[in-house]
Amino acid sequence: MRRLLLVIILAAGVMYVILHCNLWRTNGNWLPPLDIERKEELINCAFKSNISTLLNVNKLYPFLCTENFLEESKFHGSVRTELPYGVKKAERYFQLALSRLQNCELFSEDDGSFCKKCVVVGNGGVLRNRSLGETIDSYDVVIRMNNGPVIGYEDDVGRRTTFRLFYPESVFSDPVHYDPNTTAVLVVFKPQDLKWLWDLLSGQRLIRTNAFWKKPAMKMIYKSNQIRILDPAITRRAAHEWLHLPTKFAKQEKPKHPTTGLIAITFALHICSEVHLAGFKYNFSDRNSSLHYYGNDTMSLMIQNGYHDIPAEQRLLKELIDHNIVINLTEE
Ligand SMILES: *[C@@H]1O[C@H](CO)[C@@H](O)[C@H](O)[C@H]1NC(C)=O
Ligand SMILES: *[C@@H]1O[C@H](CO)[C@@H](O)[C@H](O)[C@H]1NC(C)=O
Ligand SMILES: *[C@@H]1O[C@H](CO)[C@@H](O)[C@H](O)[C@H]1NC(C)=O
Ligand SMILES: *[C@@H]1O[C@H](CO)[C@@H](O)[C@H](O)[C@H]1NC(C)=O
Ligand SMILES: *[C@@H]1O[C@H](CO)[C@@H](O)[C@H](O)[C@H]1NC(C)=O
Ligand SMILES: *[C@@H]1O[C@H](CO)[C@@H](O)[C@H](O)[C@H]1NC(C)=O
Ligand SMILES: *[C@@H]1O[C@H](CO)[C@@H](O)[C@H](O)[C@H]1NC(C)=O
């Protein structure tokens, strides 16, 4: 009798798994069963707003998950493109790094609301002395990037950080900046970035750092359950569908990639029902003006940087603002 019961329970379990696998497959989504409905609803929310109709994009879960990495990458065509826009030739590195992460949840804290109002906080000098901190903190979701600090700049930029997009050369290494409420999102530009994440999370010492643009962080201040990997399909969308950057560059030409700021806006447009911006502005006619709201870098540094197409990004932002798809908080 007991054995029969066991067999029935096992069979039910197997049926459950099969049914769910089929469901996930048709969605192109292989998320853990309990969360799939919530995630679908959340992403749907962003796509019910007029963001999607205007930008004409498909749904895309923004983070890579260990369980379905290869299936999703095939589904979205990422297997046909190399980094930073796909996973081709770096699949093994992605799998290594993902094996160190505990989950791929979008929001660690569930406040029950699906439709999120988000603010993307750029690091631009335009934020100085504007006292937007309280306004920024009032959003459901605050998205920041790289090493734009909060400590010491609370009046101007707020205290909360829901997501922080980073890459190895741009992430905080000083634990004073640690925030337990932040989900840190790695934007992968090269295979070494994944190796770097794996090394740091495995407690290995970094030995070779010459593949990096500048010295990467040598330790990770975030806990592994706070870290996610951005699906390169998001970066690809930013570069090719929205900025229309060329997909091929001549050998002697510096390839141009979107800024982390633009990638963060693209990310926001995929998970939020409303997106507002603060701190996105470059004034090229004033070489001495502050580049960031922190530190002493001036605009001249950005003018020398050939890896981005800032005029194209500014045109895109203007278009998004003009169409009310995003709202510019730093507007006078
Ligand atoms: C911001 O305010 C501080 C103190 O009031 C002042 O010293 C500084 O020059 C101001 N900075 C800008 C960019 O206006
Ligand atoms: C993290 O969130 C909790 C709960 O909302 C809050 O009490 C705490 O102050 C936050 N910590 C930081 C560093 O923002
Ligand atoms: C850019 O800087 C120049 C020189 O300081 C200034 O005249 C101009 O008003 C600034 N433009 C904007 C949009 O702030
Ligand atoms: C910019 O700064 C440099 C060095 O501090 C100074 O020589 C130059 O006059 C400044 N230019 C403007 C337009 O303020
Ligand atoms: C910026 O310049 C000021 C004045 O020259 C200096 O006191 C400060 O340490 C500098 N800050 C950084 C981050 O270099
Ligand atoms: C998009 O929605 C916002 C807020 O719901 C609205 O203000 C705006 O006019 C809409 N834009 C378009 C182009 O429909
Ligand atoms: C936002 O508004 C400010 C102030 O009018 C402007 O200087 C800045 O260029 C705007 N940002 C974008 C991305 O258009």
Side-chain angles (χ1 to χ4, degrees), residues 19-56:
L19 269 175
H20 261 279
C21 282
N22 279 334
L23 278 179
W24 301 340
R25 200 188 290 274
T26 52
N27 283 329
N29 238 321
W30 291 62
L31 303 167
L34 282 177
D35 299 310
I36 182 159
E37 278 163 36
R38 283 201 70 78
K39 278 180 183 162
E40 277 282 300
E41 219 161 321
L42 207 149
I43 306 278
N44 270 334
C45 189
F47 281 83
K48 262 187 259 159
S49 66
N50 56 19
I51 290 171
S52 62
T53 42
L54 273 153
L55 297 178
N56 192 23

Side-chain angles (χ1 to χ4, degrees), residues 261-305:
L262 197 89
I263 297 170
I265 294 170
T266 310
F267 166 66
L269 289 171
H270 281 80
I271 63 161
C272 309
S273 52
E274 269 185 71
V275 178
H276 293 189
L277 307 180
F280 281 88
K281 178 192 180 173
Y282 292 119
N283 186 353
F284 285 123
S285 44
D286 186 0
R287 298 176 69 93
N288 283 357
S289 66
S290 317
L291 181 58
H292 297 132
Y293 65 81
Y294 54 91
N296 295 333
D297 286 347
T298 59
M299 204 54 69
S300 50
L301 201 73
M302 198 66 194
I303 297 170
Q304 291 155 16
N305 178 326

Side-chain angles (χ1 to χ4, degrees), residues 79-332:
V79 288
R80 292 195 297 270
T81 316
E82 287 176 38
L83 277 167
Y85 304 123
V87 304
K88 189 176 169 184
K89 293 190 188 160
E91 293 92 341
R92 199 171 52 85
Y93 288 96
F94 273 101
Q95 276 163 325
L96 261 178
L98 283 167
S99 74
R100 287 280 150 196
L101 306 184
Q102 270 93 52
N103 72 75
C104 57
E105 290 282 303
L106 193 50
F107 295 106
S108 46
E109 239 175 80
D110 197 343
D111 63 1
S113 82
F114 290 130
C115 291
K116 307 278 187 186
K117 234 181 124 170
C118 305
V119 60
V120 186
V121 185
N123 291 338
V126 64
L127 282 170
R128 278 183 201 238
N129 291 3
R130 300 293 290 265
S131 305
L132 279 173
E134 235 173 273
T135 311
I136 288 171
D137 277 342
S138 72
Y139 284 78
D140 300 326
V141 171
V142 182
I143 302 172
R144 302 184 196 270
M145 63 222 56
N146 299 330
N147 49 357
V150 166
I151 295 165
Y153 300 90
E154 292 88 344
D155 284 351
D156 285 337
V157 303
R159 297 164 194 277
R160 295 177 48 231
T161 306
T162 322
F163 294 106
R164 186 179 283 277
L165 276 66
F166 72 95
Y167 49 93
E169 297 90 339
S170 79
V171 69
F172 290 129
S173 50
D174 185 345
V176 72
H177 296 289
Y178 178 70
D179 178 343
N181 301 333
T182 294
T183 296
V185 183
L186 174 67
V187 183
V188 186
F189 287 98
K190 44 202 183 308
Q192 290 81 3
D193 298 350
L194 296 158
K195 170 86 165 47
W196 166 88
L197 184 66
W198 188 80
D199 281 344
L200 291 191
L201 295 181
S202 315
Q204 311 243 14
R205 280 196 26 190
L206 288 183
I207 299 166
R208 283 167 13 116
T209 58
N210 49 356
F212 294 91
W213 300 328
K214 60 179 205 206
K215 194 168 176 248
M218 301 301 267
K219 55 177 185 287
M220 173 54 74
I221 66 165
Y222 298 102
K223 300 193 167 67
S224 60
N225 66 2
Q226 289 176 275
I227 302 172
R228 307 286 184 272
I229 298 177
L230 190 77
D231 191 328
I234 298 270
T235 312
R236 186 167 76 241
R237 201 161 262 180
H240 296 159
E241 291 175 37
W242 294 0
L243 284 180
H244 302 291
L245 296 180
T247 49
K248 289 210 168 60
F249 290 90
K251 270 224 172 67
Q252 64 277 16
E253 214 181 336
K254 271 187 192 173
K256 291 210 179 341
H257 301 303
T259 57
T260 322
L262 197 89
I263 297 170
I265 294 170
T266 310
F267 166 66
L269 289 171
H270 281 80
I271 63 161
C272 309
S273 52
E274 269 185 71
V275 178
H276 293 189
L277 307 180
F280 281 88
K281 178 192 180 173
Y282 292 119
N283 186 353
F284 285 123
S285 44
D286 186 0
R287 298 176 69 93
N288 283 357
S289 66
S290 317
L291 181 58
H292 297 132
Y293 65 81
Y294 54 91
N296 295 333
D297 286 347
T298 59
M299 204 54 69
S300 50
L301 201 73
M302 198 66 194
I303 297 170
Q304 291 155 16
N305 178 326
Y307 290 101
H308 303 302
D309 187 345
I310 301 296
E313 297 202 2
Q314 289 182 321
R315 280 194 303 274
L316 176 67
L317 289 187
K318 187 171 180 317
E319 217 169 292
L320 293 177
I321 291 166
D322 288 349
H323 284 91
N324 275 325
I325 297 172
V326 303
I327 288 170
N328 179 12
L329 273 186
T330 12
E331 197 91 62
E332 254 94 55

